[in-house]
Amino acid sequence: MPDLIDLYATGNYYTDITIEEYRKTNRSIWNETDSQAQSGTWYCVEGSCQHLRQILKGNKFMGGILVDQFYDNPAKLSETIEMNLRRSDGLMVFDIVHIITKNLWKEVEEGMKRGGSL
């Protein structure tokens, strides 16, 4: 019987992609389950991946993206795809209907190329 692999999926639903970018904007984030706004490098894609890597101690995880956050800035969709592919063990896209209806295939392809998956 093959070994079972645990794979954690996280929602990296942040518009700041890098830790450097987060430090410049220094925005507070109010997630659905928070009782108050939060801040810190957790609240950017790179920082979230970095912290999860430490916490999960070698267990694999994939970063999730929320496509509709990038309607006004499609180039950042490519960036978040790239960062998740580089810093996590996979990518979950929520949800494909946004890519189809807004015709964001070029941005997806670019992010996948830069992230080493194409």
Side-chain angles (χ1 to χ4, degrees):
M1 180 174 196
D3 291 332
L4 296 176
I5 298 174
D6 292 327
L7 182 66
Y8 174 75
T10 187
N12 282 335
Y13 303 156
Y14 308 116
T15 55
D16 288 337
I17 310 303
T18 65
I19 291 171
E20 179 182 354
E21 180 182 9
Y22 173 80
R23 287 185 174 144
K24 285 179 185 173
T25 64
N26 199 30
R27 73 179 89 229
S28 293
I29 304 295
W30 193 291
N31 289 319
E32 290 179 19
T33 57
D34 292 335
S35 60
Q36 61 188 19
Q38 305 292 321
S39 59
T41 57
W42 267 101
Y43 299 99
C44 67
V45 178
E46 181 182 26
S48 175
C49 288
Q50 185 179 70
H51 290 294
L52 282 167
R53 189 69 66 203
Q54 292 172 340
I55 288 169
L56 293 174
K57 298 181 180 173
N59 290 299
K60 294 182 182 278
F61 70 96
M62 63 180 160
I65 62 169
L66 186 60
V67 175
D68 66 352
Q69 289 181 302
F70 302 103
Y71 283 172
D72 295 334
N73 192 346
K76 289 198 75 163
L77 175 60
S78 298
E79 290 178 41
T80 194
I81 289 170
E82 175 187 5
M83 183 63 71
N84 275 290
L85 289 172
R86 289 188 180 279
R87 300 282 191 236
S88 76
D89 301 297
L91 179 69
M92 187 278 299
V93 177
F94 186 78
D95 100 71
I96 196 162
V97 69
H98 299 292
I99 294 168
I100 294 167
T101 59
K102 296 295 185 175
N103 195 28
L104 296 168
W105 295 108
K106 178 183 68 156
E107 289 78 9
V108 170
E109 181 180 15
E110 181 64 28
M112 290 180 74
K113 282 181 182 175
R114 292 191 329 223
S117 290
L118 280 182

